[in-house]
Amino acid sequence: MTVAVVAIDGPAATGKSTTARYVAHELGWRYIDSGAFYRVAALLALRSDVDLDDPGDRARLRASLAEAEVEQRMVGGRLHTRLDGRDVTDAIRSPAVTRIVSRVADDPELRELVNEGLRDRVGREPAVIDGRDIGSIVFPDALLKIYLDASLEERARRRAREAEPPDRAEDPAVLASYEESLAVRDRADRARTTGALAPARDAVHVDTSELDLDTQAARILHLVRERLGETPSPTRGTP
Ligand code: DC
Protein backbone atom coordinates (compact mmCIF):
# COMPACT_ATOMS: atom_id res chain seq x y z
CA MET A 1 0.00 0.00 0.00
CA THR A 2 1.30 3.45 -0.93
CA VAL A 3 2.17 5.57 2.09
CA ALA A 4 1.68 9.34 2.18
CA VAL A 5 5.39 10.08 2.08
CA VAL A 6 7.47 12.07 -0.33
CA ALA A 7 11.03 10.77 0.07
CA ILE A 8 13.80 13.15 -0.93
CA ASP A 9 17.19 11.47 -0.88
CA GLY A 10 20.61 12.39 -2.18
CA PRO A 11 24.07 13.50 -1.10
CA ALA A 12 24.71 16.55 1.09
CA ALA A 13 24.21 20.05 -0.32
CA THR A 14 21.82 19.15 -3.12
CA GLY A 15 19.07 21.32 -1.64
CA LYS A 16 17.14 18.43 -0.10
CA SER A 17 16.03 20.25 3.02
CA THR A 18 14.99 23.48 1.28
CA THR A 19 13.07 21.49 -1.30
CA ALA A 20 11.46 19.23 1.29
CA ARG A 21 10.45 22.19 3.44
CA TYR A 22 8.87 23.99 0.49
CA VAL A 23 6.99 20.93 -0.77
CA ALA A 24 5.73 20.13 2.74
CA HIS A 25 4.57 23.70 3.23
CA GLU A 26 2.72 23.77 -0.09
CA LEU A 27 1.02 20.43 0.59
CA GLY A 28 0.26 21.21 4.22
CA TRP A 29 2.22 18.06 5.13
CA ARG A 30 4.78 17.64 7.82
CA TYR A 31 8.48 18.06 7.05
CA ILE A 32 10.84 15.59 8.72
CA ASP A 33 14.62 15.89 8.53
CA SER A 34 15.87 12.34 9.09
CA GLY A 35 19.52 13.43 9.24
CA ALA A 36 18.66 15.40 12.39
CA PHE A 37 17.99 12.12 14.22
CA TYR A 38 21.49 10.87 13.40
CA ARG A 39 22.83 14.26 14.44
CA VAL A 40 20.98 13.99 17.77
CA ALA A 41 22.60 10.58 18.25
CA ALA A 42 25.99 12.14 17.51
CA LEU A 43 25.31 14.89 20.03
CA LEU A 44 24.40 12.29 22.65
CA ALA A 45 27.63 10.44 21.81
CA LEU A 46 29.69 13.59 22.35
CA ARG A 47 27.90 14.46 25.55
CA SER A 48 28.49 11.08 27.12
CA ASP A 49 31.95 10.55 25.71
CA VAL A 50 31.02 7.50 23.70
CA ASP A 51 33.91 5.60 22.14
CA LEU A 52 32.53 4.66 18.72
CA ASP A 53 35.04 1.80 18.47
CA ASP A 54 33.67 0.18 21.61
CA PRO A 55 30.63 -2.08 21.10
CA GLY A 56 29.56 -1.57 24.72
CA ASP A 57 29.62 2.20 24.26
CA ARG A 58 27.68 1.82 21.01
CA ALA A 59 25.01 -0.14 22.90
CA ARG A 60 24.93 2.56 25.59
CA LEU A 61 24.39 5.17 22.87
CA ARG A 62 21.51 3.21 21.34
CA ALA A 63 19.90 2.90 24.77
CA SER A 64 20.11 6.64 25.38
CA LEU A 65 18.72 7.38 21.89
CA ALA A 66 15.85 4.95 22.52
CA GLU A 67 15.01 6.83 25.71
CA ALA A 68 15.43 10.31 24.29
CA GLU A 69 12.45 12.34 23.24
CA VAL A 70 13.17 13.97 19.90
CA GLU A 71 10.71 16.42 18.41
CA GLN A 72 10.80 18.44 15.22
CA ARG A 73 8.69 21.49 14.67
CA MET A 74 8.63 24.34 12.16
CA VAL A 75 9.13 27.71 13.85
CA GLY A 76 9.21 30.82 11.66
CA GLY A 77 10.12 28.88 8.51
CA ARG A 78 12.92 26.93 10.19
CA LEU A 79 12.78 23.37 11.41
CA HIS A 80 13.63 23.20 15.10
CA THR A 81 14.79 20.00 16.75
CA ARG A 82 14.27 19.46 20.45
CA LEU A 83 15.90 16.82 22.55
CA ASP A 84 14.17 16.07 25.85
CA GLY A 85 12.49 19.47 25.71
CA ARG A 86 15.67 21.46 24.91
CA ASP A 87 16.25 23.14 21.57
CA VAL A 88 19.31 21.54 19.93
CA THR A 89 18.80 22.97 16.41
CA ASP A 90 22.19 24.70 16.41
CA ALA A 91 24.01 22.18 18.57
CA ILE A 92 23.35 19.36 16.09
CA ARG A 93 24.93 21.41 13.29
CA SER A 94 28.17 22.05 15.17
CA PRO A 95 31.42 21.02 13.44
CA ALA A 96 32.03 18.44 16.19
CA VAL A 97 28.71 16.72 15.44
CA THR A 98 29.23 16.96 11.68
CA ARG A 99 32.65 15.33 12.05
CA ILE A 100 31.34 12.16 13.71
CA VAL A 101 27.76 11.84 12.48
CA SER A 102 28.59 9.59 9.54
CA ARG A 103 30.32 7.11 11.85
CA VAL A 104 27.45 7.27 14.33
CA ALA A 105 25.03 6.51 11.48
CA ASP A 106 27.14 3.50 10.60
CA ASP A 107 25.38 1.21 13.06
CA PRO A 108 22.58 -0.98 11.66
CA GLU A 109 20.85 -1.29 15.04
CA LEU A 110 20.92 2.45 15.65
CA ARG A 111 19.59 2.97 12.12
CA GLU A 112 16.70 0.62 12.86
CA LEU A 113 15.84 2.70 15.94
CA VAL A 114 15.78 5.88 13.84
CA ASN A 115 13.74 4.18 11.11
CA GLU A 116 11.15 2.88 13.57
CA GLY A 117 10.79 6.40 14.95
CA LEU A 118 10.27 7.79 11.44
CA ARG A 119 7.67 5.15 10.56
CA ASP A 120 5.87 5.80 13.79
CA ARG A 121 5.67 9.52 13.05
CA VAL A 122 4.35 8.93 9.55
CA GLY A 123 1.70 6.58 10.92
CA ARG A 124 0.22 9.73 12.42
CA GLU A 125 0.41 12.20 9.51
CA PRO A 126 1.62 12.48 5.90
CA ALA A 127 5.13 13.80 5.52
CA VAL A 128 7.91 14.95 3.25
CA ILE A 129 11.14 13.40 4.52
CA ASP A 130 14.68 14.06 3.41
CA GLY A 131 17.65 11.78 3.97
CA ARG A 132 19.78 9.16 2.30
CA ASP A 133 17.75 5.95 2.45
CA ILE A 134 14.17 7.16 2.88
CA GLY A 135 12.93 5.89 -0.48
CA SER A 136 15.19 2.85 -0.67
CA ILE A 137 14.86 1.43 2.86
CA VAL A 138 12.63 3.34 5.24
CA PHE A 139 9.56 3.88 3.03
CA PRO A 140 9.81 1.56 0.02
CA ASP A 141 6.10 2.26 -0.63
CA ALA A 142 6.40 6.04 -0.58
CA LEU A 143 4.05 7.95 -2.85
CA LEU A 144 7.01 9.59 -4.60
CA LYS A 145 10.77 9.09 -4.34
CA ILE A 146 13.09 11.80 -5.50
CA TYR A 147 16.84 11.41 -5.80
CA LEU A 148 18.52 14.80 -5.92
CA ASP A 149 22.08 15.09 -7.14
CA ALA A 150 24.52 17.80 -8.23
CA SER A 151 28.18 17.95 -9.14
CA LEU A 152 30.68 18.00 -6.28
CA GLU A 153 31.94 21.44 -7.42
CA GLU A 154 28.45 22.93 -7.33
CA ARG A 155 27.65 21.39 -3.96
CA ALA A 156 30.90 22.75 -2.49
CA ARG A 157 30.08 26.20 -3.89
CA ARG A 158 26.65 26.12 -2.25
CA ARG A 159 28.00 25.04 1.13
CA ALA A 160 30.75 27.68 1.01
CA ARG A 161 28.24 30.41 0.15
CA GLU A 162 26.06 29.38 3.10
CA ALA A 163 28.91 29.34 5.59
CA GLU A 164 31.56 31.84 4.48
CA PRO A 165 31.77 35.59 3.83
CA PRO A 166 31.46 36.37 0.08
CA ASP A 167 35.18 36.84 -0.63
CA ARG A 168 36.18 33.56 1.05
CA ALA A 169 33.29 31.67 -0.57
CA GLU A 170 34.89 32.24 -4.00
CA ASP A 171 38.43 31.42 -2.86
CA PRO A 172 39.65 28.27 -4.71
CA ALA A 173 41.47 26.96 -1.61
CA VAL A 174 38.33 27.34 0.49
CA LEU A 175 36.23 25.67 -2.22
CA ALA A 176 38.73 22.82 -2.42
CA SER A 177 38.43 22.20 1.31
CA TYR A 178 34.61 22.08 1.03
CA GLU A 179 34.92 19.66 -1.87
CA GLU A 180 37.22 17.46 0.15
CA SER A 181 34.96 17.30 3.19
CA LEU A 182 31.85 16.63 1.05
CA ALA A 183 33.73 13.88 -0.80
CA VAL A 184 34.70 12.26 2.50
CA ARG A 185 31.07 12.29 3.66
CA ASP A 186 29.82 11.01 0.30
CA ARG A 187 32.23 8.09 0.51
CA ALA A 188 31.16 7.24 4.06
CA ASP A 189 27.43 7.59 3.21
CA ARG A 190 27.77 5.42 0.09
CA ALA A 191 29.95 2.75 1.66
CA ARG A 192 27.91 1.83 4.73
CA THR A 193 26.61 -1.72 4.76
CA THR A 194 23.07 -0.79 5.86
CA GLY A 195 21.16 2.25 4.67
CA ALA A 196 23.82 3.33 2.19
CA LEU A 197 23.16 6.39 0.09
CA ALA A 198 21.74 5.02 -3.16
CA PRO A 199 18.75 5.89 -5.31
CA ALA A 200 15.70 3.66 -4.93
CA ARG A 201 15.00 1.66 -8.11
CA ASP A 202 11.88 3.68 -8.77
CA ALA A 203 13.22 7.10 -7.73
CA VAL A 204 12.90 10.10 -10.03
CA HIS A 205 16.40 11.52 -10.54
CA VAL A 206 16.77 15.28 -10.55
CA ASP A 207 20.17 16.84 -11.23
CA THR A 208 20.12 20.20 -9.52
CA SER A 209 23.55 21.47 -10.69
CA GLU A 210 21.94 23.89 -13.10
CA LEU A 211 18.75 24.61 -11.17
CA ASP A 212 18.09 27.34 -8.68
CA LEU A 213 16.31 26.26 -5.53
CA ASP A 214 12.95 27.77 -6.48
CA THR A 215 12.87 25.96 -9.81
CA GLN A 216 13.99 22.70 -8.22
CA ALA A 217 11.37 22.87 -5.46
CA ALA A 218 8.59 23.84 -7.91
CA ARG A 219 9.53 20.95 -10.21
CA ILE A 220 9.28 18.45 -7.38
CA LEU A 221 6.02 19.88 -6.11
CA HIS A 222 4.64 19.45 -9.62
CA LEU A 223 5.70 15.79 -9.60
CA VAL A 224 3.99 15.24 -6.24
CA ARG A 225 0.78 16.87 -7.44
CA GLU A 226 0.87 14.72 -10.54
CA ARG A 227 1.21 11.63 -8.36
CA LEU A 228 -1.64 12.83 -6.18
CA GLY A 229 -3.74 13.27 -9.30
CA GLU A 230 -4.08 17.01 -8.76
CA THR A 231 -2.21 18.18 -11.85
CA PRO A 232 -2.63 16.51 -15.20
CA SER A 233 0.66 15.48 -16.76
CA PRO A 234 1.31 17.30 -20.06
CA THR A 235 1.34 13.97 -21.88
CA ARG A 236 -1.66 12.49 -20.10
CA GLY A 237 -4.99 12.91 -21.82
CA THR A 238 -3.55 14.13 -25.10
CA PRO A 239 -4.80 12.24 -28.12
O1 DC B 1 21.48 15.29 6.00
P1 DC B 1 22.52 15.50 7.11
O2 DC B 1 23.82 16.03 6.62
O3 DC B 1 22.00 16.27 8.25
O4 DC B 1 22.81 14.02 7.64
C1 DC B 1 23.69 13.78 8.68
C2 DC B 1 24.32 12.40 8.54
O5 DC B 1 23.36 11.40 8.77
C3 DC B 1 24.95 12.11 7.18
O6 DC B 1 26.31 11.79 7.34
C4 DC B 1 24.26 10.93 6.65
C5 DC B 1 23.43 10.41 7.78
N1 DC B 1 22.08 10.08 7.35
C6 DC B 1 21.81 8.77 7.07
O7 DC B 1 22.71 7.92 7.15
N2 DC B 1 20.55 8.41 6.72
C7 DC B 1 19.58 9.32 6.61
N3 DC B 1 18.34 8.94 6.26
C8 DC B 1 19.86 10.68 6.87
C9 DC B 1 21.13 11.03 7.23
Side-chain angles (χ1 to χ4, degrees):
M1 194 186 70
T2 303
V3 289
V5 165
V6 175
I8 302 187
D9 291 306
T14 46
K16 293 189 299 293
S17 63
T18 310
T19 303
R21 231 178 9 243
Y22 171 86
V23 171
H25 179 261
E26 292 297 311
L27 293 173
W29 288 16
R30 192 161 167 191
Y31 164 47
I32 300 175
D33 167 10
S34 66
F37 291 83
Y38 293 101
R39 289 178 174 275
V40 163
L43 184 65
L44 289 169
L46 290 173
R47 283 186 180 167
S48 47
D49 228 0
V50 161
D51 175 357
L52 294 171
D53 292 321
D54 181 318
D57 270 20
R58 285 270 192 177
R60 197 157 57 83
L61 175 60
R62 288 194 295 273
S64 63
L65 183 65
E67 273 171 28
E69 194 169 326
V70 184
E71 295 162 86
Q72 290 191 332
R73 198 174 307 150
M74 291 299 293
V75 183
R78 188 175 181 213
L79 187 73
H80 280 252
T81 302
R82 288 164 80 86
L83 166 60
D84 294 330
R86 294 246 164 92
D87 196 307
V88 292
T89 311
D90 293 326
I92 61 171
R93 305 264 153 212
S94 72
V97 164
T98 301
R99 242 186 323 274
I100 65 162
V101 63
S102 230
R103 284 197 63 213
V104 168
D106 223 352
D107 172 350
E109 289 176 61
L110 183 138
R111 300 192 68 84
E112 203 37 53
L113 272 180
V114 170
N115 294 347
E116 277 166 21
L118 293 172
R119 291 182 190 122
D120 188 44
R121 273 157 223 263
V122 166
R124 287 177 262 140
E125 51 187 325
V128 181
I129 311 181
D130 71 354
R132 304 293 190 285
D133 59 346
I134 303 304
S136 55
I137 305 276
V138 191
F139 293 102
D141 299 320
L143 172 76
L144 177 66
K145 303 172 187 178
I146 301 289
Y147 190 82
L148 291 184
D149 212 346
S151 67
L152 183 61
E153 296 75 21
E154 178 55 27
R155 293 189 287 129
R157 208 170 295 128
R158 291 177 187 172
R159 273 289 141 93
R161 282 196 195 128
E162 276 165 19
E164 304 287 343
D167 53 331
R168 269 183 60 79
E170 305 298 328
D171 181 329
V174 172
L175 284 171
S177 80
Y178 276 86
E179 278 183 27
E180 173 57 22
S181 71
L182 282 170
V184 168
R185 275 182 66 194
D186 285 357
R187 274 198 295 277
D189 289 345
R190 290 197 170 105
R192 70 171 47 93
T193 46
T194 319
L197 168 65
R201 225 179 350 94
D202 49 351
V204 178
H205 290 243
V206 179
D207 189 318
T208 73
S209 306
E210 309 278 323
L211 298 178
D212 64 44
L213 276 172
D214 290 346
T215 312
Q216 156 178 343
R219 189 171 290 183
I220 287 153
L221 181 64
H222 184 83
L223 288 170
V224 183
R225 293 216 151 117
E226 228 174 62
R227 233 8 104 90
L228 286 169
E230 291 175 15
T231 310
S233 137
T235 53
R236 213 181 290 154
T238 49

